[in-house]
Amino acid sequence: MPPTIPHLSALDTGCPHMRLLVEHVTSKWGLLVLLQLDGRTLRWSELKRAIPGVSEKMLIQTLQTLEADGLVLRAARPVVPPHVEYSLTDAGHDAAALLAPLALWAQDRVREG
Amino acid sequence: MPPTIPHLSALDTGCPHMRLLVEHVTSKWGLLVLLQLDGRTLRWSELKRAIPGVSEKMLIQTLQTLEADGLVLRAARPVVPPHVEYSLTDAGHDAAALLAPLALWAQDRVREG
DNA sequence: CCGCATCCTATCGGATACTG
DNA sequence: CAGTATCCGATAGGATGCGG
């Protein structure tokens, strides 16, 4: 079986920065947030409802991490009560596009076995 | 921006089994093992040398997890001293094929920012 | 050469309560 | 509504030493 990429020539598999970013987007809630925001904009409360089981702490923390990574866009309107919308940046959409097939593959595999 | 997949219709984003498998293949050492074994067979000691910084405990543990998931194949020849070879199953190769682009994307992103 | 067992610590992540 | 603050248990993962 041939390798998927021209073997490791283009990839520094040990790079810690790359690892960190991968950890962020594949983390328990990071993955769900990116998939939920793929192709649409959601308010904080909508996002929370769309991801059953997530705690407020983890949702905020995950969103802040992904925002710092430049994957998630936070748009706050200064009204009362507060109105905050989350969406994906172009880079975030790229990430979602890479993660969706991975999630689908994993789901298909566990359905059989 | 249109969604990457026909929105969440085919994907149960909350499925714990799917999550677990994703965690395994994207884990700190799981990712590196799959990429290193992509397209070639390595002995345990070779694999350890190919992944700088990995402890024996984590390497074994990771390999056993991936083997239990049906992604890694362990072939032990009953000689002394022991000779054990690791390679990818077809499913493991599929996983590597999905992970390599993700790793490359992450690497390209951290190089800029 | 390959792997198991034990200890130890840092971090992840859940529960709860409080604020502008 | 959209967070912040604090506590606390579980686990990931590193260090070390032993065994066939």
Side-chain angles (χ1 to χ4, degrees):
Chain A
M1 210 134 195
T4 296
I5 53 172
H7 212 228
L8 306 175
S9 49
L11 183 65
D12 176 11
T13 51
C15 171
H17 304 293
M18 178 270 278
R19 276 293 321 147
L20 211 57
L21 185 53
V22 171
E23 276 173 29
H24 291 172
V25 302
T26 62
S27 72
K28 183 171 182 180
W29 304 114
L31 178 70
L32 299 183
V33 165
L34 288 169
L35 294 183
Q36 287 291 341
L37 288 181
D38 185 28
R40 59 179 176 171
T41 293
L42 291 180
R43 297 185 59 172
W44 188 83
S45 51
E46 293 173 327
L47 199 46
K48 180 165 166 52
R49 242 174 298 122
I51 305 180
V54 69
S55 67
E56 300 186 350
K57 174 191 170 183
M58 290 315 298
L59 182 55
I60 291 294
Q61 192 178 100
T62 301
L63 285 168
Q64 288 173 346
T65 300
L66 294 179
E67 189 190 1
D69 287 334
L71 305 179
V72 159
L73 203 66
R74 179 183 182 276
R77 290 223 303 276
V79 296
V80 42
H83 185 101
V84 182
E85 288 185 341
Y86 290 95
S87 57
L88 295 188
T89 64
D90 286 353
H93 194 260
D94 292 343
L98 290 168
L99 292 172
L102 184 66
L104 279 172
W105 166 84
Q107 183 175 260
D108 288 350
R109 248 192 95 63
V110 299
R111 280 201 202 271
E112 309 156 3
Chain B
M1 209 131 196
T4 297
I5 53 174
H7 215 226
L8 307 176
S9 49
L11 183 64
D12 176 11
T13 51
C15 170
H17 304 293
M18 178 270 277
R19 274 297 316 149
L20 211 56
L21 185 53
V22 170
E23 275 173 29
H24 290 173
V25 302
T26 62
S27 71
K28 183 171 182 182
W29 305 114
L31 179 71
L32 300 184
V33 164
L34 287 169
L35 294 183
Q36 286 293 339
L37 289 181
D38 184 28
R40 59 177 176 172
T41 293
L42 290 180
R43 296 186 59 172
W44 188 81
S45 51
E46 292 172 329
L47 198 47
K48 180 165 166 51
R49 242 174 298 123
I51 304 180
V54 69
S55 67
E56 299 187 350
K57 175 190 169 183
M58 290 315 298
L59 182 54
I60 292 292
Q61 191 178 102
T62 301
L63 285 168
Q64 289 174 347
T65 299
L66 294 179
E67 190 189 0
D69 288 334
L71 305 180
V72 159
L73 204 66
R74 181 182 181 275
R77 290 223 303 274
V79 295
V80 41
H83 186 102
V84 182
E85 288 185 342
Y86 289 95
S87 57
L88 295 187
T89 65
D90 285 353
H93 194 259
D94 291 343
L98 290 168
L99 292 172
L102 184 66
L104 278 172
W105 167 84
Q107 182 175 260
D108 287 351
R109 249 192 94 63
V110 299
R111 279 197 204 271
E112 309 155 4

